[in-house]
Amino acid sequence: LQTSISFLNNGVKVLLKKAENLYIDEVKDVEILLHESEVGDYFRQLKNLHIQNGAMIQYIFKGNDDVDKIEFQLEILELQGLPKLISFCSKNKGSTSTSPQETTLFNQKTQFPKLKELVLSSISIERIWLPQGFCSTQNLTLLIIEGCANLKHVLSDFMVEYLQQLECLEISECKCIHEIISKEKIIKEAFRNRYLICFPRLNSLKLKGLQNLIGFCHEDYTVEFPTLKILEIENCPQLKGFIHNSTSKEILTDVVLFNNKVVFSNLEKITISHLRKVNRVWDSQLHTNSFPMLKELSITECNVLLNIFPPFLLGVFQRLEKLIVTDCTSLEDVFQLQEQGLDIEETHVANCQLREVNLIRLPKLKHVWTKYHKGNISFESLRQVCIEDCWSLKTLFPFSIAKDLQQLERLTIARCGLEEIVSKSVEESGELKICFAFNQLSFLELWDLPYLTCFYPGMHRTRWPTLKQLRIHWYGGIKIFGHEESQIQHSLFLIEKVIPQLEEVSFSHSDIAMISDGQSAANLFCNVKFLRISCYFDVSAIFPISFLRRFYNLEGLDVVFCHFKELASFESDVHEDKDMSITTPKIKKLKLDLVNNIRHLWKLDSPLDHICASLECLELWQCNNLINLGLDLSFFETLTTLDVWKCNGMSELITSFKVQSLVCLVTMRIRECEMMREVVASDEGETSYEIVFRALKHLELHCLQRLVSFCSGNYTLRFPSLEQVTLSQCPRMKNFYQGVLSTPQLHKVQLTATDFRGRWAGDLNATVEQLYKEQVLIE
């Protein structure tokens, strides 16, 4: 619509009299959309009005001096991308008032008695409704306000009685908002210290990106949310409490998020993040009916927070099932089981229903559970525990907690300063036979724990009858595997008992040496489907290819953090049986990660060539001396996924002759390879021919600073199945390929994996060239 809404010719008018939905988009030069007479005559049946991207729109319709009130039958109203919008209805000609009516989106002249959903996005108004009077919101169930940079007022305390049907409230990216419910002068004194605010039907409340929000409302009010189930407060750095008690000029030393002025009797999920002032989540005296139904709590980047659950509140959260805490730089304790510095008896018994705990990147975390031996608090319902990047943490479970973890199913501990997993306590002194029974644990990961010395410092035994996946890497001085007769050394696992039941296992150099020297049963490794070999630091060490014969059901192999110069050599197999190729497994997935000394994968007809004869997935990560895929490898013909990451010695991936063997390749990802100039390099002395990636559907090229093009040479390059290309941070790539190129199924180039709209300039080459030119202009 370039000029006016005078598009209402006779034919359109007939349609509009019966229309229930009207969408208006990309209105460039119009200031006023509708005249009041047109609204009354032609929009009587309209239920859904959506207006967006109107750069010049100031009013939705023009008012009439002769009409005091106009009533809309709308049920859904969405206004988006209207940066110059002043009000829904223009002012009367004779008006000289400077009252709030002039700057509010809705005034008393516009009535919406049936409105259920209101969405406002990227509009410039300062106030939505008048602070008093009938607001036409009595049927409103959904209110979403997003990116309204000038909005100062959302709701007044007077309006709450007109929002009794509201079910969903979302407010985000509005930088001028200080309070969601503001006190208006007309009633401030009348209700001071005794006013109750209630949202009887609200079940979802989300506050995001409100840079100056100090609180939902002032503590002069008590707020009840009897049906609220989901609460999200994200990136509100100035928040001084959900119900705040201070002015913006006050300096606060103790900021509590939830106090006894708010009641959440049915709240099930809380998500909070980026709260810079909050150092306590809960006040010591909560309302008696708050948080009894809370099931999930997620806290991220609250950098002055010191603890999560103080001891006097542990009994309140007995329904809590899931806890996630990440990137809180000051956090020291999660569960305080007693007052700090005091050894006092608990006055209540708390049987927590907590099932899942995730604690990630907490640099000052000292205790997940403070040491406690009174036995009044139980966490026996735990199913999953994940602790990562917590370098100040020296021990995980107190003895009183660990002895009851018989329901635990998954335990991950990675990149932590842990010295022992279970700490010793005076509670078990005198017990001669201590057994930790992990009867349901199927997954255990101990990864990069350089200070770990033992599972438990006292005499003990462990039971792992259901363990299936065991991932272990760089684990300090703890002894992982041992035989029955050497149990006095406190090895974590007895080889004969645990390995036969495993489907996934990790072995270091010393583990393999110990197992190879022993007389293991022939079927010890019969169930293992995935094997990880790690920590071979001797550059002269030979890859233990003969060891793989024991894993005749092996499907996946990872080689991690090893200094092998090659993975298979004929010299290493001098004493092996001639029929080794018959007994070795055929794997489907191979990953090399931080195998820095290797220059070539392996030679044709080597034992590893047989093992990888049916390979489907190859991942090459951080192998900095690897030149390229190189030698004539038979697995090319079965490969469907190829992922290359941070292989900084590669100037190309593969030659044009060998690439023709990749007949089944579906996905190719090449990322962060510093020296790579092209993916497919020309073979010397070759003539022109056709290269066809017959099955390739997904191609990702990311952060390849020297990449000039995908391929060089004089070929016809065809991708008959290519559907997705993701291209990002390849600053020297001027075109995809200069020769003949065919991509019939491709219709866009994505800049990220989530860029579903993508870019397209007619073909792949033109699109890459356009992206290159745009980048040059920016630079």
Side-chain angles (χ1 to χ4, degrees), residues 411-633:
L411 175 59
T412 296
I413 312 172
R415 299 175 299 280
C416 292
L418 223 62
E419 296 175 359
E420 56 193 28
I421 295 175
V422 179
S423 62
K424 195 172 183 179
S425 173
V426 296
E427 181 180 350
E428 77 277 9
S429 61
E431 293 190 36
L432 298 178
K433 295 182 180 180
I434 295 175
C435 181
F436 297 98
F438 298 96
N439 293 330
Q440 302 298 323
L441 194 77
S442 62
F443 177 92
L444 175 62
E445 180 173 10
L446 305 176
W447 199 268
D448 195 4
L449 306 174
Y451 307 108
L452 186 64
T453 58
C454 65
F455 178 82
Y456 173 75
M459 294 295 293
H460 69 285
R461 288 183 177 272
T462 56
R463 292 180 54 201
W464 319 83
T466 60
L467 189 63
K468 298 295 182 184
Q469 295 175 278
L470 178 59
R471 298 181 182 178
I472 302 180
H473 172 72
W474 195 245
Y475 41 79
I478 188 173
K479 183 177 177 59
I480 301 296
F481 295 102
H483 295 288
E484 184 76 40
E485 60 271 15
S486 62
Q487 177 64 8
I488 193 172
Q489 299 179 23
H490 297 296
S491 60
L492 188 57
F493 301 106
L494 298 179
I495 292 175
E496 294 80 5
K497 289 188 176 181
V498 73
I499 289 182
Q501 68 194 36
L502 294 179
E503 296 178 357
E504 176 179 344
V505 66
S506 303
F507 290 136
S508 67
H509 189 176
S510 58
D511 296 329
I512 292 176
M514 180 185 65
I515 295 172
S516 298
D517 289 343
Q519 299 297 319
S520 302
N523 63 346
L524 189 64
F525 305 95
C526 63
N527 291 318
V528 176
K529 296 180 180 179
F530 183 86
L531 171 65
R532 180 179 291 102
I533 295 175
S534 65
C535 300
Y536 269 75
F537 299 132
D538 186 353
V539 294
S540 63
I542 296 173
F543 180 74
I545 194 167
S546 60
F547 182 68
L548 298 181
R549 288 192 303 171
R550 305 165 186 253
F551 300 85
Y552 43 83
N553 287 316
L554 195 65
E555 296 179 2
L557 173 64
D558 274 12
V559 183
V560 183
F561 205 17
C562 295
H563 293 169
F564 299 124
K565 290 185 177 179
E566 57 184 42
L567 297 186
S569 64
F570 295 104
E571 291 81 3
S572 66
D573 301 317
V574 171
H575 303 292
E576 301 300 329
D577 297 335
K578 294 182 180 180
D579 62 346
M580 182 177 178
S581 62
I582 300 176
T583 59
T584 51
K586 290 186 177 181
I587 63 174
K588 295 180 180 180
K589 181 181 179 180
L590 173 65
K591 179 178 181 178
L592 307 182
D593 187 2
L594 284 168
V595 188
N596 274 325
N597 291 327
I598 190 171
R599 292 177 60 83
H600 303 283
L601 292 181
W602 58 85
K603 299 177 181 179
L604 189 67
D605 296 328
S606 74
L608 202 59
D609 185 61
H610 170 80
I611 292 172
C612 296
S614 301
L615 196 66
E616 296 177 3
C617 177
L618 175 63
E619 296 179 349
L620 304 173
W621 289 13
Q622 304 179 92
C623 300
N624 286 329
N625 282 325
L626 190 64
I627 298 173
N628 53 37
L629 294 187
L631 306 176
D632 295 325
L633 304 175

Side-chain angles (χ1 to χ4, degrees), residues 317-333:
F317 301 98
Q318 296 194 35
R319 291 182 182 267
L320 187 68
E321 295 182 358
K322 185 174 183 179
L323 174 66
I324 303 172
V325 186
T326 61
D327 298 294
C328 296
T329 56
S330 297
L331 191 75
E332 295 184 357
D333 304 308

Side-chain angles (χ1 to χ4, degrees), residues 688-699:
S688 62
Y689 51 84
E690 186 177 71
I691 297 177
V692 183
F693 288 85
R694 193 169 306 280
L696 191 67
K697 291 185 177 182
H698 312 286
L699 172 64

Side-chain angles (χ1 to χ4, degrees), residues 144-162:
I144 297 177
I145 304 170
E146 177 186 12
C148 297
N150 297 324
L151 186 65
K152 297 179 180 179
H153 305 277
V154 184
L155 305 173
S156 68
D157 45 16
F158 187 87
M159 279 191 61
V160 174
E161 63 181 285
Y162 301 112

